Amino acid sequence: MIRSLFTAATGLTAQQFEQDVVANNLANINTVGFKKSRANFQDLMYQVQTKAGATSGTGVQLPSGIEVGMGVKPISTQKIFSQGDYQQTGNPFDWAIEGDGFFQIDDGNGGTAYTRAGSFKINKDSNICNSEGLLLTPALSVPQGTVVITVDKSGQVTATDSKGAMTQVGQLQLATFVNPAGLTSMGRNLYAKTDASGEASVGNPGVEGKGTISQYFLEMSNVNVIDEMVKMITGQRAYEINSKSIQTADTMLGIVNNLKR
Amino acid sequence: MAYDVSLMAAAMDQKIQQLQHVTHNLANASTPGFKAEHLLILNVPRQEGEPGTGNDTLKTMIVDFERGISQRTDNPLDLALQNDGFFVVQTKDGQAYTRKGDFTVNGLKQLVTQAGDPVVGEGGAITLGSGKIRVAGNGSIFVDQNEVGQLKIVDFGNRQALRNVGGGLYVDDGAAGVKRVDRPEIASGSIELSNVNVVNEMAQMIEIHRSFEAYQKIIQMLSDQDKLSVSRVGRV
């Protein structure tokens, strides 16, 4: 069989994979704290048919060899942690991180998950939790009778009761990673650390390169519709071209079959 | 029997090989840092007036090292070389060279390729601490304000002697003539796209397809001739 058929098939698979990633980005365009992914590709291994410097049948030394490539494969998907846009919400429990860092969330199984989605709530035990009910780490508990809660840039959380008395509720801490692109996505806006991301470095907002907190704001997704649409168009065309390769290879096989009438 | 049939069959085989290269280029039309490859079939000069024997063609592969266009990505670890040269990568099998600049960081905080091979700087692997990473235009890498390394950029006197090992990596078997690039120009936050020219590849595909068809017709004609000569000569 003509090897081109299989090479073109790798191209089709790769473009399909690209579309999957683009579709997920677009589906999450309004997801708070969502970070877009990018599919990375690389060319597959090569088969060496003639080595460079070998002598041809006519006694001429070849200036370069012949290597036949086998197509393309997806090598990784990478999260792009660029800043998303901010949206003002007026909700005191909406906190956006300006700069690098992640909120730490207790995943309920003794582990820590990380998120940029800062839309928090209070549960029945007056602890601060995310929309799913998972607790924020370090735990913050809002005292009874609190009227106003404020979070300053450096993550100090203060509660004010109806008489105007202020209580320190606690200090919010953020985690940063050397290689945030190495975090795995757990879905539900959460990330988990891996060997590639490195250990979390935890500290107060605004210290050692960690971002600061903006209360009453949410960070929207960082998906750029135009970029994704362009990717979709180029991906679709690339898919089409690879299918043309298959068609051509197929027609040529047909021609071979018709050699003997 | 007309022995030209086998000559034509060999020509068809060459076209299939050419198609393989075209297909591979098209499959990698959106692979960053990919360089298009063309299989050229050349004629070797021969004595005037003598017919060709079919053995006097010379196949040679040319890698088109033309620069691909850069695309902005806003990821500081995406590096695009703005002039000739290659990044140096330390693979398990020794040093390799690439223009595929979509780098990332591994658990040891080293700058690595997407396949996990460390990128080589002037002083070996480049270890990034924690902090804001910035790559200057001359290849110096800064974390916050401290310089942590300098990318090593090399070029070759004869790039065609490089061997392609896949993954955007090229290996020098000693014949390419490695030389340093003293003034590299690197754009951080951009990536070099594939340099495959889709229009050219499609045109080539059509050419391959049609010549293939023509060869088929010639073979059919030759075998028709054979049939005629066998049947008619027999009748006389």
Side-chain angles (χ1 to χ4, degrees), chain A residues 2-5 7-12 14-15 18 36 38 40-46 48-52 56-58 60 62-73 75-80 82 100 176-179 181-182 195-198 201 208-209 227 230-231 238 241-242 244-249 251-261, chain B residues 12 15-17 19-24 26-32 34-35 37 39 44 55-63 71-75 77-78 100 102-109 114-116 128-133 144 158 160-170 173 191 198 202 205-206 208-209 212-213 215-217 219-221 223-224:
Chain A
I2 301 184
R3 203 186 289 128
S4 306
L5 282 172
T7 306
T10 67
L12 288 178
Q15 294 309 329
E18 166 101 346
K36 64 184 172 189
R38 177 177 87 189
N40 292 315
F41 298 100
Q42 70 169 31
D43 46 344
L44 279 171
M45 64 290 229
Y46 286 74
V48 179
Q49 292 188 335
T50 318
K51 275 189 81 102
S56 76
T58 46
V60 185
L62 296 169
S64 58
I66 300 177
E67 295 144 356
V68 193
M70 303 289 166
V72 62
K73 75 167 179 193
I75 175 143
S76 61
T77 53
Q78 186 180 2
K79 282 272 170 201
I80 308 284
S82 62
D100 293 338
T176 50
F177 295 90
V178 179
N179 178 26
D195 283 347
S197 67
S201 124
E208 286 173 354
D227 282 353
V230 169
K231 267 195 209 165
I241 279 164
N242 280 297
K244 284 271 183 268
S245 300
I246 292 193
Q247 262 177 32
T248 309
T251 322
M252 281 168 66
L253 273 178
I255 290 174
V256 174
N257 279 345
N258 280 324
L259 269 178
K260 185 176 184 311
R261 286 172 296 185
Chain B
M12 286 175 101
K15 285 293 160 194
I16 290 181
Q17 285 178 29
L19 180 70
Q20 171 63 25
H21 287 267
V22 171
T23 316
H24 181 63
L26 287 176
N28 285 289
S30 53
T31 306
F34 180 79
K35 300 293 163 206
E37 291 156 11
L39 183 66
V44 173
N55 292 327
D56 51 5
T57 55
L58 180 64
K59 280 188 293 187
T60 179
M61 198 188 77
I62 301 290
V63 180
Q71 186 191 30
R72 276 213 70 78
T73 60
D74 295 331
N75 182 354
L77 289 182
D78 283 341
K100 190 171 182 289
D102 52 348
F103 298 131
T104 180
V105 181
N106 67 6
L108 301 169
K109 305 185 178 182
Q114 290 292 335
L128 309 165
S130 28
K132 201 106 196 120
I133 296 161
D144 292 331
N158 175 18
Q160 296 302 335
L162 292 173
R163 183 160 53 88
N164 199 337
V165 291
L169 301 178
Y170 295 89
D173 289 327
I191 208 163
V198 178
M202 285 308 278
M205 205 191 304
I206 295 169
I208 291 168
H209 183 185
F212 199 75
E213 224 171 345
Y215 295 151
Q216 180 213 27
K217 294 278 177 256
I219 291 184
Q220 286 178 346
M221 194 198 73
S223 78
D224 282 352

Side-chain angles (χ1 to χ4, degrees), chain B residues 16-100:
Chain B
I16 290 181
Q17 285 178 29
Q18 273 188 325
L19 180 70
Q20 171 63 25
H21 287 267
V22 171
T23 316
H24 181 63
N25 288 343
L26 287 176
N28 285 289
S30 53
T31 306
F34 180 79
K35 300 293 163 206
E37 291 156 11
H38 305 287
L39 183 66
L40 304 181
I41 296 168
L42 309 168
N43 272 323
V44 173
R46 57 166 187 261
Q47 292 289 309
E48 210 176 314
E50 275 180 36
T53 59
N55 292 327
D56 51 5
T57 55
L58 180 64
K59 280 188 293 187
T60 179
M61 198 188 77
I62 301 290
V63 180
D64 178 4
F65 281 104
E66 179 84 14
R67 264 205 303 287
I69 50 170
S70 304
Q71 186 191 30
R72 276 213 70 78
T73 60
D74 295 331
N75 182 354
L77 289 182
D78 283 341
L79 306 178
L81 282 167
Q82 299 295 297
N83 45 17
D84 289 343
F86 294 84
F87 298 108
V88 185
V89 171
Q90 187 67 45
T91 68
K92 281 202 297 291
D93 311 320
Q95 286 199 336
Y97 308 94
T98 188
R99 286 187 67 92
K100 190 171 182 289

Side-chain angles (χ1 to χ4, degrees), chain A residues 76-96:
Chain A
S76 61
T77 53
Q78 186 180 2
K79 282 272 170 201
I80 308 284
F81 282 93
S82 62
Q83 187 82 57
D85 292 336
Y86 296 112
Q87 191 188 28
Q88 192 163 14
T89 62
N91 179 350
F93 288 102
D94 283 345
W95 307 337

